[in-house]
Amino acid sequence: MLRDALLFDAHGRAIRQHHKVFSKDWDEIGEWSRRVYMPYDVSPTGKLIRPQSTMHSAMVGRIIVTRFAYGIPVGIRDWSQEAGNAVVLTTIGGNASHRLDDGGAVNTGYGESFVVDCSRTDYHVDFDPAHLQLNLTIPHAVLEQVCHDWFGFVPGDALWRFKCGLGGQGSSWLILMDYVMRCIAEAPDRLAHDRVGRHLEQTICVHLLNEWASRAGLDLSDPRHALAPRVVRAAEAYMSEHAADLPTMAEVARAAGTSLRSLTEAFRRFRGTTPSQFLREQRLQRVRRDLETALPGQTVAEIAAAWGYINKGDFARAYRQRFGEAPSATLRR
């Protein structure tokens, strides 16, 4: 079923598309990609430079389902964080190589998927000339909403920045994808708005979150997450908003309406970390984001200083320990 996904309905008729389904024009393909996925940079990686792209799409609730190929080997990077989307790429033809933060890669063949939240982290993928992808584009806000509704809390970057492979032949995830494609074939134009589409949207997100979190070492059903008190959530919100101001932990505790001792104990119990470690992670993530989107002429030193890092050596060591590369390497990319 997956090989014919989005091509034919349950009666064998071609599913009508509201856009072109084949193009050799980079600008035309780029416009479709920006509208359906998000802005990103793509470039050929072989001798052929003219694409022969196939493009099909459908909606399942608020999830965009696409069948897509460039027809030539390409590399894709610099996916827009501002678009606010996560993507799940399932290979149904050829192979794809998905880069990891530690310099490694996850290669996906038929029936294997890869998940990355492009609203929270960078992403680089290389497709071979025979690649064909069946992709889900899911707004980050939808994943947060489903997680809150089902598990009682919204995870942090330990989940959202974690990239991983999942699924594979015979897996429950691939069976779910096959079921979704069959539902689209039976009602190609209805699943964007009707109850069946919303039910499928929720089923996809809950299954994805469980698989994703399991690989990230996060137990979504752990009651400590749902029971995190207001003071913890208030402190996290305050530190996220004021990360560049380097608030003291006493200031954070006052903003959360509790004592420093109580706040520290609440973080230890419900987050398994400390408030200062949470703040440190926020600052490092913001520096990385700014390095990735730096303007010409900006330096590592000035970007780090904007987030309170004055000692270059200490900053460089902390950054390398967290992300596995020097800040200058991130800036150069």
Side-chain angles (χ1 to χ4, degrees):
M1 183 66 185
L2 291 183
R3 290 196 182 276
D4 294 330
L6 304 188
L7 296 181
F8 307 104
D9 66 15
H11 303 287
R13 299 174 301 219
I15 294 177
R16 184 168 58 92
Q17 297 287 303
H18 302 286
H19 50 74
K20 290 187 67 172
V21 297
F22 180 80
S23 178
K24 295 183 177 182
D25 185 279
W26 280 110
D27 291 337
E28 193 171 61
I29 299 167
E31 175 57 31
W32 182 85
S33 299
R34 284 189 290 273
R35 179 163 47 84
V36 173
Y37 296 111
M38 65 200 83
Y40 56 71
D41 289 339
V42 59
S43 58
T45 57
K47 295 181 179 179
L48 298 175
I49 62 172
R50 190 177 184 186
Q52 301 182 63
S53 185
T54 58
M55 305 168 289
H56 295 79
S57 65
M59 294 293 297
V60 175
R62 291 165 289 181
I63 298 174
I64 302 170
V65 185
T66 51
R67 174 194 178 94
F68 185 63
Y70 276 95
I72 61 172
V74 297
I76 301 177
R77 63 189 304 165
D78 295 333
W79 300 61
S80 170
Q81 291 193 8
E82 288 71 24
N85 292 322
V87 290
V88 187
L89 305 95
T90 299
T91 299
I92 58 174
N95 287 274
S97 179
H98 311 267
R99 308 280 185 89
L100 298 176
D101 292 336
D102 62 5
V106 172
N107 296 310
T108 55
Y110 180 80
E112 296 173 325
S113 302
F114 189 83
V115 57
V116 57
D117 188 344
C118 295
S119 76
R120 295 296 186 272
T121 186
D122 59 345
Y123 177 44
H124 188 160
V125 58
D126 296 304
F127 294 123
D128 76 1
H131 75 274
L132 178 61
Q133 299 298 130
L134 186 62
N135 300 335
L136 307 178
T137 303
I138 310 175
H140 176 87
V142 171
L143 291 170
E144 283 197 347
Q145 176 189 330
V146 171
C147 208
H148 181 273
D149 292 345
W150 275 77
F151 304 105
F153 81 110
V154 176
D157 283 344
L159 177 63
W160 306 129
R161 293 185 64 90
F162 188 78
K163 309 167 188 175
C164 65
L166 53 89
Q169 296 191 49
S171 68
S172 58
W173 172 253
L174 194 63
I175 292 171
L176 174 59
M177 290 290 290
D178 184 83
Y179 172 68
V180 171
M181 296 310 119
R182 291 177 186 273
C183 290
I184 293 174
E186 291 176 1
D189 298 318
R190 292 208 330 254
L191 297 184
H193 306 292
D194 69 3
R195 292 183 178 179
V196 175
R198 281 304 178 97
H199 171 74
L200 280 175
E201 171 195 293
Q202 192 169 76
T203 301
I204 292 168
C205 289
V206 171
H207 193 117
L208 172 64
L209 286 164
N210 272 314
E211 295 257 6
W212 192 359
S214 174
R215 287 162 175 76
L218 179 65
D219 182 3
L220 296 179
S221 63
D222 189 330
R224 292 179 299 174
H225 297 307
L227 295 175
R230 182 199 63 81
V231 294
V232 170
R233 290 180 276 114
E236 289 175 336
Y238 183 83
M239 286 187 282
S240 295
E241 182 178 353
H242 298 280
D245 301 328
L246 297 184
T248 67
M249 291 304 102
E251 291 172 336
V252 173
R254 281 198 299 272
T258 188
S259 68
L260 177 56
R261 181 176 179 178
S262 296
L263 182 65
T264 302
E265 173 59 23
F267 263 80
R268 184 196 65 76
R269 180 180 178 188
F270 294 101
R271 292 294 188 250
T273 186
T274 66
S276 59
Q277 288 172 329
F278 178 89
L279 178 59
R280 178 178 180 272
E281 176 68 9
Q282 293 296 307
R283 293 169 63 212
L284 285 171
Q285 296 289 358
R286 306 297 175 81
V287 171
R288 184 171 178 82
R289 179 198 64 189
D290 288 355
L291 288 171
E292 291 170 339
T293 58
L295 297 174
Q298 283 189 291
T299 66
V300 170
E302 67 179 284
I303 291 173
W307 293 100
Y309 290 102
I310 306 302
N311 187 303
K312 296 179 183 179
D314 289 346
F315 163 68
R317 281 190 292 274
Y319 190 93
R320 182 183 290 275
Q321 183 179 26
R322 175 61 181 85
F323 299 113
E325 66 179 8
S328 57
T330 307
L331 181 63
R332 282 196 301 271
R333 282 208 311 274

